[in-house]
Amino acid sequence: MKIMKFIKKNYPILVVNLIALVFIAITLLVRFGVHIKVYEGADLIPVEIGYSQSAKRIDGKIVHVSECYVRFRLENSEQKPFWVPAEAAFRGASVDDIEDMIKDGDSVKRNVFFNTGSDEVIGVTEGGKSILSLYYNNSKLFRYGIWILFFVDIFVAILIIFAHKKKKTT
């Protein structure tokens, strides 16, 4: 009974949350597609290292930022090699460590997510095998958006409580 009363009182907050969650869901579906297949524990062999450079504006200054990418090929597969951000595949390994792996021909076990419609790799995760793990590890909108939404709800709830207390005292 109290839940229904709370929902009736605060339906605008719930509507905004619902709109934000639908936006996040649609964005994820557009980015990753709906036909996703996972190869669990696939052996990936790093082939080469590359860098992607971009410019960002920080405090009114343009700063050049480079991000490290690693090109992988699947062991014992006809799949063409693909690029993955080094951070997503190695979680904190240095460039020297990755270069040593390339020289030695070592492989790493990762879960590889494919779009079955285009037969392209859409993401790599180290631990999780579910689609939510793919979203969490490869989408900043999902990773941070859910937490931001949660903390904004807590902040708004605190503001509502203070407003009601102030209203009762006057």
Side-chain angles (χ1 to χ4, degrees):
M1 199 63 174
K2 288 184 180 185
I3 293 174
M4 291 305 290
K5 190 185 276 188
F6 177 79
I7 290 173
K8 286 180 182 178
K9 255 181 164 177
N10 299 306
Y11 76 91
I13 296 171
L14 297 172
V15 170
V16 169
N17 282 341
L18 184 64
I19 290 170
L21 290 173
V22 167
F23 173 75
I24 290 172
I26 290 173
T27 304
L28 291 173
L29 291 176
V30 167
R31 179 172 176 204
F32 295 112
V34 293
H35 304 289
I36 298 172
K37 180 180 179 183
V38 61
Y39 290 143
E40 296 178 17
D43 288 322
L44 299 176
I45 300 171
V47 178
E48 68 179 296
I49 294 178
Y51 295 92
S52 171
Q53 293 189 355
S54 62
K56 293 183 180 183
R57 183 177 293 272
I58 299 174
D59 295 331
K61 297 179 184 177
I62 296 177
V63 178
H64 296 282
V65 178
S66 65
E67 186 176 5
C68 183
Y69 282 81
V70 179
R71 188 172 187 183
F72 286 105
R73 70 177 173 81
L74 280 168
E75 192 171 58
N76 302 326
S77 175
E78 296 296 318
Q79 176 72 26
K80 62 183 180 182
F82 53 91
W83 291 95
V84 175
E87 181 63 30
F90 292 107
R91 296 278 183 235
S94 70
V95 175
D96 293 333
D97 292 339
I98 298 170
E99 287 175 348
D100 289 342
M101 288 182 72
I102 292 171
K103 288 178 188 172
D104 296 341
D106 293 339
S107 66
V108 293
K109 286 199 179 290
R110 298 291 184 264
N111 301 316
V112 181
F113 294 84
F114 288 94
N115 182 345
T116 57
S118 63
D119 201 32
E120 291 182 5
V121 174
I122 55 176
V124 174
T125 62
E126 193 171 342
K129 300 170 187 154
S130 69
I131 293 176
L132 283 177
S133 176
L134 167 73
Y135 293 160
Y136 185 79
N137 289 306
N138 293 290
S139 174
K140 290 181 182 177
L141 177 66
F142 183 75
R143 183 184 308 161
Y144 301 122
I146 299 297
W147 287 108
I148 289 171
L149 189 63
F150 177 71
F151 287 119
V152 166
D153 285 345
I154 290 173
F155 178 72
V156 169
I158 290 170
L159 287 177
I160 289 171
I161 290 169
F162 283 135
H164 285 290
K165 283 184 179 181
K166 188 175 181 181
K167 195 176 192 183
K168 287 181 181 179
T169 59
T170 56

